[in-house]
């Protein structure tokens, strides 16, 4: 049972344009969401998070949007840079903000073309 | 990913052998988590430990897998009598103690069972 779904296995974007990565979840108990970025042969690196009491969180070029009614969140990267090329994982937690037992999606491979 | 140290980076074992994966958390972090990433899948929670205590092992397979985090030394994930299906990337993550902060992951151990 995949509680966190990333339905696009890959995405290709031109440098300078906006990248939009999507994530859907099924468990209404999830109240904390995170995005991680992963390069090959490395561990995931935390990017940005959002609590369910918010619908938007912004950090530099990265913005995460949360639509609780649709059980959907998205990560916007603008402008996209070649160094952003990586696998992006969406993760969710239902422990009141606790990040243990994160449930991860299967990832989206982002390729930013120069 | 600086700070969480995992070794070895690559481990090859024959079926039936034992695998020992080590994780040293970031300095000052007392919480350790183990995740497994099977090919083409997201990361799956295995176990959460604090010093000398297993807090949550709900993601651990019932047999052959064990984990510890002793008072001194690294956390160890031990897999006895490995099978081909154990081939995966095993990631360790640590947390200082505030569960509202994100997990910091190591670069993983890639286990290959031949």
């Amino acid at each position: 049972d995949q509680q966190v779904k990333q339905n696009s296995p890959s995405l290709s974007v031109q440098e300078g344009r906006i990248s939009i990565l999507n994530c859907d979840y099924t468990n209404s108990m999830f109240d904390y969401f995170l995005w991680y970025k992963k390069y090959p042969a490395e561990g995931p690196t935390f990017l940005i998070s959002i609590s369910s009491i918010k619908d938007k969180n912004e950090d530099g070029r990265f913005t995460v949007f949360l639509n609780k009614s649709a059980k959907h969140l998205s990560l916007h990267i603008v402008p996209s840079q070649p160094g952003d090329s990586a696998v992006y994982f969406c993760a969710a937690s239902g422990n009141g903000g606790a990040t243990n037992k994160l449930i991860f999606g299967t990832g989206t491979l982002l390729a930013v073309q120069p | 990913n600086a700070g969480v140290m995992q070794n070895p980076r690559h481990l090859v074992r024959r079926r039936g052998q034992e695998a020992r994966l080590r994780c040293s958390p970031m300095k000052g972090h007392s919480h350790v988590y183990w995740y497994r990433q099977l090919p083409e899948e997201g990361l799956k929670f295995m176990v959460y430990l604090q010093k000398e205590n297993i807090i949550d092992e709900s993601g651990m397979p019932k047999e052959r897998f064990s984990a510890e985090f002793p008072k001194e030394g690294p956390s160890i994930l031990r897999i006895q009598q490995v099978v081909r299906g154990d081939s995966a990337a095993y990631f360790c993550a640590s947390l200082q103690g505030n569960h509202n902060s994100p997990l910091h992951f190591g670069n993983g151990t890639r286990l290959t069972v031949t």
Side-chain angles (χ1 to χ4, degrees):
Chain A
D1 177 30
Q2 191 69 26
Q3 297 186 68
V4 177
K5 300 177 185 177
Q6 293 177 257
N7 292 319
S8 298
S10 63
L11 175 68
S12 183
V13 171
Q14 286 293 121
E15 181 179 5
R17 298 288 187 103
I18 185 170
S19 295
I20 301 177
L21 297 101
N22 294 303
C23 178
D24 298 294
Y25 61 96
T26 57
N27 190 338
S28 57
M29 297 302 292
F30 288 150
D31 56 9
Y32 191 60
F33 304 89
L34 306 90
W35 284 93
Y36 280 82
K37 172 181 177 180
K38 185 180 179 305
Y39 293 118
E42 292 187 12
T45 302
F46 170 74
L47 266 180
I48 193 168
S49 63
I50 188 166
S51 164
S52 60
I53 62 173
K54 295 185 175 182
D55 54 19
K56 177 183 174 181
N57 189 23
E58 190 172 354
D59 183 2
R61 295 186 299 114
F62 302 91
T63 303
V64 55
F65 295 91
L66 175 63
N67 181 333
K68 287 192 294 292
S69 60
K71 295 193 180 69
H72 176 84
L73 65 155
S74 61
L75 174 68
H76 292 210
I77 307 173
V78 55
S80 301
Q81 299 172 355
D84 295 330
S85 298
V87 177
Y88 288 78
F89 289 99
C90 169
S93 171
N95 298 317
T99 55
N100 53 300
K101 291 189 73 171
L102 290 177
I103 308 297
F104 282 83
T106 51
T108 296
L109 174 62
L110 174 65
V112 180
Q113 310 295 335
Chain B
N1 296 325
V4 178
M5 303 301 295
Q6 290 188 249
N7 68 82
R9 289 297 310 274
H10 300 275
L11 182 61
V12 179
R13 285 288 178 265
R14 291 182 178 168
R15 279 181 298 170
Q17 291 186 317
E18 178 179 289
R20 278 179 176 250
L21 289 65
R22 294 175 188 77
C23 169
S24 296
M26 285 182 71
K27 188 175 180 181
H29 286 195
S30 57
H31 301 245
V32 165
Y33 304 79
W34 285 92
Y35 283 79
R36 175 167 67 172
Q37 184 181 21
L38 294 169
E40 309 301 323
E41 294 188 15
L43 284 79
K44 298 267 196 286
F45 169 80
M46 298 182 76
V47 62
Y48 162 39
L49 310 103
Q50 295 179 20
K51 286 283 187 181
E52 301 184 280
N53 282 306
I54 297 174
I55 306 301
D56 185 338
E57 57 181 347
S58 58
M60 288 279 268
K62 294 284 186 283
E63 298 175 345
R64 304 186 297 107
F65 284 71
S66 61
E68 62 176 7
F69 188 17
K71 188 176 179 182
E72 302 290 338
S75 175
I76 306 286
L77 179 67
R78 182 182 176 206
I79 312 171
Q80 295 177 287
Q81 300 171 356
V82 295
V83 300
R84 288 221 173 101
D86 297 333
S87 296
Y90 291 82
F91 292 97
C92 169
S94 73
L95 190 67
Q96 188 168 16
N98 174 7
H99 286 278
N100 290 322
S101 57
L103 293 178
H104 295 267
F105 283 86
N107 284 330
T109 293
R110 182 160 297 280
L111 172 66
T112 301
V113 179
T114 62

